[in-house]
Amino acid sequence: MPRRNKSFETTNYMINKEEFRRKVIVSAGEIFSHYGFKKTTMDEIAKDLKMGKSSIYYYFESKEEIFEAVVLYEANILRNELTTAIKSVESPIDKMKNYVFVRMKSFEKLSNYYNAIFDKNLDHFDFIENIREKYDREELAILRLILYHGARKKVFNVVNSEYTAMAIQTTLKGLEVPLFWKKKEVNIENRLRAILDVLFYGIVKK
Amino acid sequence: MPRRNKSFETTNYMINKEEFRRKVIVSAGEIFSHYGFKKTTMDEIAKDLKMGKSSIYYYFESKEEIFEAVVLYEANILRNELTTAIKSVESPIDKMKNYVFVRMKSFEKLSNYYNAIFDKNLDHFDFIENIREKYDREELAILRLILYHGARKKVFNVVNSEYTAMAIQTTLKGLEVPLFWKKKEVNIENRLRAILDVLFYGIVKK
DNA sequence: GAATTTTCGACCGGAATATTCGAATAGATT
DNA sequence: AATCTATTCGAATATTCCGGTCGAAAATTC
């Protein structure tokens, strides 16, 4: 029996297809994170999946599309981790602390996401610009929310939450730069603490 | 005045040449250790040295020769660290402990050496087989020496030092395998301790 | 057993990249 | 200064690599 309308039907094939796409994303993500986009070959990804590389093209159009999926995947992980991290505590100060720490700690684990955002060699990907903008906006919203709640609870003293949020975001990005260039150590911890201190000292109502 | 015999004269050039070779080895070693032999390009090495890549060929015949030099370099580091580690203590038990620990700890730092020995993709290098054999023999000699001294001091109870040394060496190699495949964690520490316990329990005179 | 989905090996063309070469420069020697 | 040697470099070459294609085989579903 021929299908009348493909888009309304779901076969077993399609289910497994999504499942397999996820597998590819995970495998590829690990390899990308180690070698970077350019130095990762389709053969390697295929080998990790125990397949011929041509099979992968049945699920993805190109290496680029795989990378895009990986970055999206990691971006979502980051978003989830951040939201749960700020939900897990009550006080605005802790929320802010958690947010900042989780964000910085994720840097190594989600290296594809951050590479996509920072690496100049990856500029030619259109989706990167989109993702960057989108997540910048989201981050700003979260920061503003934290600040807003802090202000409501009389813990923060914020005049303009939007600009304050932007300032914090800028600082966080500044922190990321050395992490991107020198993957190792750069004892971010201490700098983070210092920045948080400064941040709170200027923000917390006395 | 033309030189009569080159091999008897030393010019300033030659000194700097050796110096520069070392620089290349260090730079290349870092890049190799991150990306592996194949994925490291001459351009990258050259860039790290702030030179044109063709200049490197004035000091080394080929990328392969650089890699060989790197591996040799690291192998010597390992040898030195091991010998000083066993010299730094007196008791045979401590010597053995130090030897085993230092050897295992070096795995990450000297990844080129270990890659050369393990990586199947590097099989075609002739020098690897040589180096592997040579250092296996050296290691065996050291282990035998430790065992021998331990026996003299009535601390170890070894019937045949050669075979015992070989057994220990085999164990150590077995420990290396998971390190090679999964670069991270694999908490070797605990396994090491366990192995040392077993080793000493069977070896130490009661 | 027909239709559809999925896998795969062989192949292509262009890009990347190791290596060469000769010329230009810097440094040493007379 | 002039000459010779050592060193650097850019451009060219030759080769390998690698993303992607294609059609056919295998597996799965109907």
Side-chain angles (χ1 to χ4, degrees):
Chain A
M1 175 177 63
R3 293 177 188 150
R4 266 199 238 155
N5 189 337
K6 274 189 180 180
S7 60
F8 277 129
E9 297 191 33
T10 304
T11 73
N12 284 336
Y13 298 124
M14 290 169 75
I15 292 170
N16 292 331
K17 214 161 170 174
E18 270 315 304
E19 218 171 283
F20 191 79
R21 275 177 69 98
R22 171 163 305 241
K23 274 187 189 170
V24 174
I25 289 170
V26 172
S27 271
E30 283 169 13
I31 305 176
F32 279 140
S33 79
H34 189 81
Y35 294 114
F37 175 76
K38 202 174 163 194
K39 292 199 176 201
T40 298
T41 71
M42 292 298 284
D43 270 321
E44 281 171 320
I45 299 172
K47 197 176 163 192
D48 198 61
L49 294 163
K50 301 176 202 321
M51 293 187 92
K53 79 171 160 182
S54 29
S55 305
I56 297 178
Y57 284 88
Y58 183 69
Y59 299 93
F60 290 88
E61 295 247 324
S62 65
K63 181 180 170 186
E64 196 172 316
E65 195 193 300
I66 298 176
F67 186 65
E68 181 172 339
V70 167
V71 172
L72 238 42
Y73 180 75
E74 289 190 357
N76 283 329
I77 291 178
L78 178 62
R79 197 214 322 258
N80 288 338
E81 286 185 352
L82 288 175
T83 50
T84 62
I86 62 177
K87 273 185 194 156
S88 72
V89 289
E90 260 306 301
S91 92
I93 290 186
D94 285 339
K95 277 183 195 295
M96 186 64 82
K97 270 188 190 169
N98 276 8
Y99 184 88
V100 172
F101 266 97
V102 169
R103 188 185 141 141
M104 287 301 131
K105 281 295 179 64
S106 302
F107 209 93
E108 297 151 36
K109 206 180 56 176
L110 306 177
S111 65
N112 292 306
Y113 172 65
Y114 286 107
N115 268 2
I117 287 179
F118 276 99
D119 197 328
K120 288 190 194 85
N121 296 331
L122 268 36
D123 257 358
H124 51 93
F125 292 100
D126 302 348
F127 81 95
I128 287 180
E129 193 53 34
N130 297 334
I131 228 179
R132 182 159 30 198
E133 276 178 24
K134 182 181 163 198
Y135 279 81
D136 271 10
R137 254 183 285 118
E138 284 188 18
E139 168 160 72
L140 220 51
I142 294 175
L143 288 173
R144 283 186 69 175
L145 206 63
I146 297 176
L147 290 174
Y148 175 73
H149 279 127
R152 289 265 312 251
K153 290 193 179 178
K154 318 273 188 193
V155 184
F156 290 160
N157 183 26
V158 181
V159 179
N160 183 324
S161 72
E162 181 171 1
Y163 286 120
T164 310
M166 281 172 60
I168 296 173
Q169 191 179 44
T170 305
T171 307
L172 293 179
K173 282 194 182 164
L175 266 174
E176 280 168 356
V177 174
L179 282 178
F180 178 69
W181 294 119
K182 309 190 117 201
K183 293 274 168 167
K184 294 202 171 177
E185 346 146 44
V186 194
N187 67 345
I188 207 77
E189 296 266 341
N190 292 335
R191 266 203 263 182
L192 251 187
R193 259 176 249 285
I195 286 173
L196 280 174
D197 277 351
V198 172
L199 179 65
F200 289 136
Y201 175 74
I203 260 181
V204 177
K205 195 176 271 182
K206 289 162 210 152
Chain B
M1 173 177 69
R3 294 180 188 148
R4 268 201 236 154
N5 189 338
K6 272 189 181 180
S7 60
F8 278 128
E9 296 193 32
T10 304
T11 75
N12 285 335
Y13 298 122
M14 290 169 75
I15 292 169
N16 290 333
K17 212 161 174 178
E18 272 313 304
E19 218 170 284
F20 192 80
R21 275 178 68 99
R22 172 163 305 240
K23 274 187 189 170
V24 174
I25 289 170
V26 172
S27 272
E30 283 169 13
I31 306 177
F32 279 141
S33 79
H34 190 80
Y35 293 114
F37 174 76
K38 201 172 165 194
K39 293 198 177 202
T40 298
T41 71
M42 293 296 285
D43 266 322
E44 282 170 320
I45 298 171
K47 197 176 165 193
D48 198 61
L49 293 164
K50 300 174 201 326
M51 292 187 94
K53 72 174 158 182
S54 35
S55 305
I56 297 178
Y57 285 88
Y58 183 67
Y59 300 93
F60 290 89
E61 295 247 323
S62 65
K63 182 179 167 187
E64 196 172 314
E65 194 191 302
I66 298 176
F67 186 66
E68 181 171 339
V70 168
V71 171
L72 238 41
Y73 181 74
E74 290 190 355
N76 283 329
I77 290 178
L78 178 61
R79 197 215 322 258
N80 288 338
E81 286 185 352
L82 286 175
T83 50
T84 62
I86 61 177
K87 272 185 195 158
S88 72
V89 289
E90 259 305 302
S91 91
I93 291 186
D94 285 340
K95 278 184 193 294
M96 187 63 82
K97 271 188 188 169
N98 276 7
Y99 184 87
V100 172
F101 266 96
V102 168
R103 188 185 141 143
M104 288 300 133
K105 282 294 177 65
S106 301
F107 211 94
E108 297 151 35
K109 209 180 53 177
L110 306 178
S111 64
N112 292 308
Y113 171 65
Y114 286 107
N115 268 1
I117 288 179
F118 277 99
D119 198 328
K120 288 190 195 83
N121 296 330
L122 268 37
D123 258 359
H124 52 92
F125 292 100
D126 302 349
F127 80 95
I128 287 181
E129 194 52 34
N130 298 333
I131 228 180
R132 182 159 29 198
E133 276 176 24
K134 183 180 164 199
Y135 279 81
D136 271 10
R137 253 183 286 116
E138 284 188 20
E139 168 161 72
L140 220 50
I142 295 176
L143 288 173
R144 282 187 70 173
L145 206 62
I146 297 176
L147 290 175
Y148 175 73
H149 280 128
R152 288 264 315 248
K153 290 192 178 177
K154 317 272 188 196
V155 183
F156 291 160
N157 184 24
V158 181
V159 179
N160 183 322
S161 72
E162 181 171 2
Y163 285 121
T164 309
M166 280 173 62
I168 296 173
Q169 191 180 41
T170 304
T171 307
L172 293 178
K173 283 194 180 164
L175 267 174
E176 280 168 354
V177 175
L179 283 178
F180 177 69
W181 294 116
K182 309 191 118 200
K183 291 271 169 172
K184 295 200 171 177
E185 347 145 43
V186 194
N187 68 343
I188 207 81
E189 296 266 339
N190 292 334
R191 264 202 264 183
L192 252 187
R193 258 176 250 286
I195 285 173
L196 279 174
D197 277 351
V198 172
L199 179 65
F200 288 139
Y201 175 72
I203 261 180
V204 176
K205 196 176 270 182
K206 290 162 207 152

